């Protein structure tokens, strides 16, 4: 059994990046580590992981239910200039390259795919955007849960659905490694920004160890091997955060709650 268990609840195509982060932390602490790709939130709720990479909406929803075994301590800053050196991301709305759609409003009556309902990037931000533009009366003809952003991307590229909102971090990595996919889709809009997915550390861990983990994450960009690990995820650096990092996700959810629009349709 490893000394530190890392769990990721995020897009599988980012797994090499999170694996590199787990290795970097273990190497610097002199501890063995393992990274587990989680398929549901049970281990998050039950505080199985010592360090987890989890969506901000899932964190906020569990927090509202009184379930908060982990503390958000750090967050990536993506390398592209569009992020303004802040720990944020966008949800890029993609369609098939040959489709007629040119804007989000063109998608009225379309078939839409989302990854899963506790995802801010695929579900929460779309729901919030529809509330913001006053479109809460069945904007889409069909709404399909795909399970993962990668599946949603494939569904758009193959013409199975018309559109989807994809985490711009996940999308940029996919476009970089899969040129055929890039030739099949185009971006027609960007929703957000949202606070990027936090790195959370279990409250079970000794405070000295928790701080040591934060210090390692936030200084990786100072070292050649750390920069190589960050580059796997197109990340410039990782910065320290607190619970306030999630305030914008909390606000967006509250807006949808007040509008009585909690189910995407």
């Amino acid at each position: 059994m490893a000394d530190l268990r890392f769990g990721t609840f995020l897009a599988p195509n980012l797994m090499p990046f999170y694996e590199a982060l787990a290795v970097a932390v273990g190497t610097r602490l002199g501890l063995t580590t393992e990274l587990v790709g989680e398929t549901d939130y049970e281990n998050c709720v039950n505080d199985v992981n010592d360090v987890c990479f989890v969506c901000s909406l899932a964190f906020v929803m569990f927090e509202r239910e009184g379930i908060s075994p982990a503390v958000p301590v750090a967050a990536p800053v993506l390398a592209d200039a569009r992020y303004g050196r802040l720990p944020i991301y966008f949800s890029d709305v993609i369609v098939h390259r040959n489709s007629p759609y040119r804007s989000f409003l063109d998608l009225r009556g379309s078939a839409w795919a989302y990854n899963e309902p506790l995802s801010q990037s695929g579900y929460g931000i779309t729901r919030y955007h529809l509330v913001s533009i006053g479109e809460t009366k069945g904007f889409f003809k069909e709404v399909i849960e795909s399970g993962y952003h990668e599946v949603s991307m494939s569904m758009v590229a193959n013409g199975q659905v018309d559109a989807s909102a994809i985490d711009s971090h996940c999308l940029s990595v996919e476009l970089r490694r899969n040129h055929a996919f890039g030739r099949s889709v185009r971006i027609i809009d960007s929703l957000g920004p949202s606070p990027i997915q936090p790195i959370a550390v279990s409250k079970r861990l000794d405070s000295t160890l928790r701080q040591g983990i934060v210090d390692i994450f936030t200084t990786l960009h100072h070292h050649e091997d750390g920069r190589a690990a960050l580059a796997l995820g197109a990340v410039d650096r990782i910065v320290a955060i607190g619970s306030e990092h999630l305030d914008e996700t909390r606000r967006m959810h509250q807006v949808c709650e007040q509008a009585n629009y909690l189910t995407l349709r």
Side-chain angles (χ1 to χ4, degrees), residues 22 38 121 154 170 174 202 209 232 243:
E38 302 286 7
S121 57
S154 177
C170 169
E174 190 67 18
S202 174
L209 177 56
L232 291 173
S243 179

Side-chain angles (χ1 to χ4, degrees), residues 70-81:
V71 182
V73 296
V77 174
L78 301 180
D80 194 275

Side-chain angles (χ1 to χ4, degrees), residues 16-245:
F17 167 58
Y18 295 119
E19 286 177 337
L21 294 187
V23 169
V25 170
T27 298
R28 284 161 171 76
L29 290 175
L31 301 174
T32 60
T33 60
E34 66 173 332
L35 174 69
V36 178
E38 302 286 7
T39 56
D40 59 47
Y41 290 98
E42 183 177 356
N43 284 339
C44 184
V45 171
N46 293 329
D47 194 24
V48 171
N49 298 305
D50 299 306
V51 182
C52 59
F53 309 104
V54 63
C55 182
S56 63
L57 181 60
F59 199 98
V60 165
M61 295 309 296
F62 292 137
E63 177 185 72
R64 288 166 65 92
E65 295 172 17
I67 304 168
S68 56
V71 182
V73 296
V77 174
L78 301 180
D80 194 275
R82 74 186 292 201
Y83 304 106
R85 298 179 66 81
L86 297 172
I88 58 173
Y89 72 99
F90 295 88
S91 293
D92 290 331
V93 179
I94 62 167
V95 299
H96 193 277
R97 184 166 295 277
N98 296 328
S99 76
Y101 306 112
R102 292 291 180 271
S103 71
F104 188 92
L105 287 177
D106 290 341
L107 296 172
R108 185 183 286 105
S110 67
W112 178 269
Y114 69 92
N115 53 338
E116 54 101 359
L118 285 178
S119 167
Q120 171 68 6
S121 57
Y123 197 86
I125 190 68
T126 306
R127 188 177 57 187
Y128 172 77
H129 184 68
L130 288 169
V131 170
S132 299
I133 62 176
E135 292 283 359
T136 59
K137 304 295 184 182
F139 181 79
F140 299 115
K141 176 183 69 176
E142 186 178 15
V143 177
I144 300 168
E145 181 176 351
S146 70
Y148 293 99
H149 275 310
E150 289 89 339
V151 179
S152 296
M153 289 188 283
S154 177
M155 292 175 76
V156 173
N158 295 330
Q160 295 171 269
V161 296
D162 296 306
S164 184
I166 306 297
D167 176 339
S168 61
H169 187 194
C170 169
L171 181 61
S172 67
V173 170
E174 190 67 18
L175 289 172
R176 187 171 63 180
R177 75 176 187 86
N178 186 346
H179 299 298
F181 167 72
R183 291 191 294 270
S184 299
V185 301
R186 55 188 169 83
I187 298 169
I188 62 168
D189 209 338
S190 292
L191 310 182
S194 295
I196 201 164
Q197 296 87 347
I199 301 170
V201 177
S202 174
K203 295 175 182 176
R204 289 182 288 99
L205 271 61
D206 174 85
S207 60
T208 301
L209 177 56
R210 285 206 307 267
Q211 186 59 51
I213 291 171
V214 175
D215 291 343
I216 290 167
F217 278 133
T218 57
T219 56
L220 284 175
H221 62 287
H222 293 312
H223 309 282
E224 185 176 352
D225 65 326
R227 289 191 293 271
L230 295 172
L232 291 173
V235 170
D236 178 65
R237 65 187 62 209
I238 295 174
V239 295
I241 60 161
S243 179
E244 70 282 353
H245 173 71

